Amino acid sequence: MKVLIIGNGGREHALAWKISESEQVSKIYMARGNGGTESFAENLDIDPTNIDELLKFAKENKIDLTVVGPEDPLCDGIVDAFRDNGLKIFGPNKECARFEKSKEFTKKFSEKYNIRTAKYKSFTNYDDALSGLKEYDYPFVIKADGLCLGKGVSICENKEEAVDALSKIFKDRIFGDEGDTVVIEEFLTGEEASVLCLVSNNKLFPLERAKDHKQIFDGDKGPNTGGVGTYSPVAASEKLEENLNKIYRQIEDGLDAENLKYSGILFIGFMIEKDVPKVLEFNVRFGDPETEVLMPRLDCDLFEILNKTIDGTLKEEDIKWKDEACLTVIMCSGGYPDSYEKGKVITGLEDVDSDIIVFHNGTKKEEKLLTNGGRVLSVTSLASTLKEAREKAYKNVEKIKFDKAYYRKDIGTK
Ligand code: AMP
Ligand code: GLY
């Protein structure tokens, strides 16, 4: 069977790595892939957002399964286009991708189906939003409605910051049309956790929980990033499990009631306080770097369960996990998430222990392996305890070098 994976990051590297284990898979193509995927897959020079080219390639090469990594092609309707052409593809259709394309859509859905989330209001112009601020106590959160590469959220501590955030969105239009609507919501406190669910015919199959580290500096300080370290599993009390299950059932009922046909991954970002989870966001794709710790723990054939998800034949017992803990530390380019340089030579990968997996987030292979993004490498370790996984990951991070490399030192210490 031939598989096409769309995307360039560590998430796609981890998906491809796991799919390559399947005895049913003979060939993996990546669009575009990176310096890490080219050792076992064929990297294609096709942009992950170019749906026409991707479709042409999949048809001509008789691809058996396409797996979509990033949100943009999903929100632009890649799944609808492939299905219309009789091609099998893993991901939600355009209608369902609105859960990520629009924060207001997700807030309205959550409100309608009594799913716990932060109280909110949405606005479509600067003046109304400014008057709306009066209803909130500081801090509160201002979010551009659309896709903003993880940069659309501002936590505002005072009026000055709130006015600045609104003015950048509505007046400077830093997010263009993606900022046509703004959601203002109450600030939630607690611990964040990500749950990725396989969704087959609107039924949710939650995968093991993973804990992301969004802020760039140790102690959860500094600006938000796409995520610079993760671990799995994350323990939960019985009460929390019960509350999470209630939310999964509410989502399933809501999908049915709205006559949506959800298939693919639904990534639920939760804020949890005293065993009470509240929904922060929905994404319609695998998380990055959550996927980097889930794939090594998955103890079944990913190709098979993705197919079963699409076919509607998935059962809970098909999804199996290793008992071990997994932790990944992301090595970043100095300066990320703001500006950073690319093209730095990466050395030391050959010295990494054989039981460490290094997924590539942003690299390219020329004569040498070079950095090619803000997040560069996910140094991933599977071990019998989280502590051991952390120690092994950090010991190996120290062996890898590139100019201005930066990483958090406290992943998994909480
Ligand atoms: P989002 O893209 O909506 O998940 O927001 C990105 C990050 O901003 C989240 O992972 C949280 O760390 C933070 N955040 C978003 N909404 C809230 C909220 N209502 N209260 C506290 N933190 C939030
Ligand atoms: N790690 C967070 C995300 O993938 O959105």
Side-chain angles (χ1 to χ4, degrees):
M1 297 277 187
K2 292 190 272 184
V3 178
L4 167 63
I5 298 178
I6 297 172
N8 310 328
R11 162 183 56 205
E12 289 79 15
H13 186 174
L15 291 170
W17 171 83
K18 189 68 194 167
I19 286 176
S20 73
E21 280 181 359
S22 173
E23 282 177 7
Q24 298 176 58
V25 174
S26 52
K27 173 94 189 173
I28 299 180
Y29 296 96
M30 309 283 306
R32 300 192 144 98
N34 59 41
T37 56
E38 65 169 46
S39 60
F40 63 97
E42 184 175 335
N43 287 351
L44 305 170
D45 188 18
I46 307 179
D47 191 287
T49 60
N50 190 338
I51 297 179
D52 290 342
E53 277 292 306
L54 292 165
L55 183 58
K56 187 164 165 267
F57 179 86
K59 277 206 283 198
E60 284 176 6
N61 292 279
K62 300 195 169 48
I63 297 296
D64 297 290
L65 174 68
T66 299
V67 183
V68 189
E71 61 275 20
D72 299 76
L74 293 168
C75 294
D76 288 343
I78 190 168
V79 169
D80 312 63
F82 271 54
R83 293 211 177 121
D84 288 349
N85 282 274
L87 288 163
K88 203 164 195 182
I89 182 163
F90 180 83
N93 59 22
K94 188 173 181 180
E95 200 181 18
C96 293
R98 283 179 298 168
F99 282 111
E100 182 155 1
K101 174 78 180 160
S102 165
K103 297 205 184 294
E104 189 191 29
F105 179 83
T106 293
K107 296 301 288 187
K108 282 188 172 156
F109 177 89
S110 302
E111 196 173 50
K112 190 165 174 189
Y113 295 101
N114 297 315
I115 298 166
R116 280 203 182 98
T117 183
K119 284 201 284 293
Y120 84 105
K121 273 209 166 144
S122 52
F123 300 92
T124 51
N125 68 69
Y126 178 79
D127 292 328
D128 290 349
L130 202 60
S131 1
L133 298 182
K134 293 188 197 97
E135 293 177 30
Y136 292 86
D137 294 325
Y138 292 96
F140 55 75
V141 187
I142 295 182
K143 299 181 175 185
D145 181 57
L147 300 180
C148 307
L149 299 168
K151 296 192 171 150
V153 175
S154 304
I155 295 169
C156 304
E157 303 283 350
N158 52 50
K159 183 155 185 195
E160 204 184 336
E161 286 177 13
V163 170
D164 184 51
L166 289 177
S167 149
K168 280 186 176 142
I169 299 174
F170 281 124
K171 293 189 170 167
D172 305 342
R173 296 190 58 78
I174 57 168
F175 302 121
D177 299 350
E178 304 294 323
D180 280 352
T181 298
V182 157
V183 167
I184 304 184
E185 68 179 31
E186 125 195 64
F187 178 78
L188 299 176
T189 50
E191 276 296 315
E192 285 188 60
S194 316
V195 183
L196 279 64
C197 302
L198 284 166
V199 189
S200 182
N201 285 339
N202 291 352
K203 180 167 164 42
L204 269 58
F205 295 84
L207 305 182
E208 295 258 309
R209 281 177 292 274
K211 166 81 182 150
D212 194 7
H213 294 67
K214 289 245 168 81
Q215 291 85 356
I216 187 73
F217 300 130
D218 287 7
D220 294 339
K221 301 273 182 343
N224 263 340
T225 67
V228 288
T230 33
Y231 62 83
S232 174
V234 182
S237 68
E238 238 173 75
K239 180 87 192 130
L240 176 57
E241 287 287 3
E242 210 177 282
N243 285 332
L244 289 170
N245 283 329
K246 183 172 166 205
I247 293 183
Y248 305 145
R249 301 294 87 81
Q250 288 170 317
I251 295 171
E252 289 172 345
D253 293 346
L255 292 173
D256 285 342
E258 295 296 310
N259 208 14
L260 292 167
K261 305 255 175 300
Y262 205 109
S263 169
I265 278 280
L266 181 68
F267 166 140
I268 314 172
F270 286 109
M271 186 70 89
I272 303 169
E273 191 167 47
K274 297 191 182 120
D275 291 337
V276 176
K278 290 186 179 173
V279 169
L280 277 182
E281 64 169 339
F282 284 162
N283 296 312
V284 299
R285 49 165 176 84
F286 285 95
D288 193 346
E290 286 84 349
T291 307
E292 285 91 313
V293 288
L294 292 176
M295 291 306 114
R297 292 196 60 227
L298 196 64
D299 202 14
C300 54
D301 184 329
L302 179 64
F303 177 76
E304 203 170 288
I305 62 174
L306 296 182
N307 274 299
K308 285 185 170 181
T309 305
I310 299 170
D311 298 342
T313 54
L314 186 68
K315 298 199 179 64
E316 242 154 67
E317 55 269 28
D318 293 328
I319 310 169
K320 298 190 186 80
W321 298 97
K322 293 177 189 160
D323 285 336
E324 289 139 296
C326 192
L327 180 138
T328 195
V329 178
I330 297 219
M331 300 184 72
C332 306
S333 299
Y336 172 78
D338 297 323
S339 60
Y340 55 84
E341 294 164 26
K342 295 184 186 176
K344 309 284 185 191
V345 177
I346 302 170
T347 57
L349 281 177
E350 60 289 355
D351 300 327
V352 164
D353 293 340
S354 59
D355 57 348
I356 292 286
I357 315 160
V358 182
F359 295 119
H360 293 220
N361 299 81
T363 69
K364 67 174 173 188
K365 194 87 170 270
E366 291 190 347
E367 253 168 57
K368 293 178 173 162
L369 184 69
L370 304 176
T371 67
N372 194 35
R375 296 188 291 183
V376 178
L377 297 168
S378 295
V379 182
T380 307
S381 162
L382 194 65
S384 46
T385 64
L386 183 62
K387 182 168 176 283
E388 198 187 321
R390 183 174 63 240
E391 286 166 2
K392 273 173 46 179
Y394 276 112
K395 182 178 139 225
N396 283 279
V397 162
E398 283 164 22
K399 298 180 185 173
I400 304 170
K401 309 274 179 225
F402 56 89
D403 185 33
K404 299 197 178 76
Y406 169 82
Y407 55 91
R408 268 182 72 158
K409 314 280 186 300
D410 65 342
I411 303 303
T413 50
K414 251 192 195 169

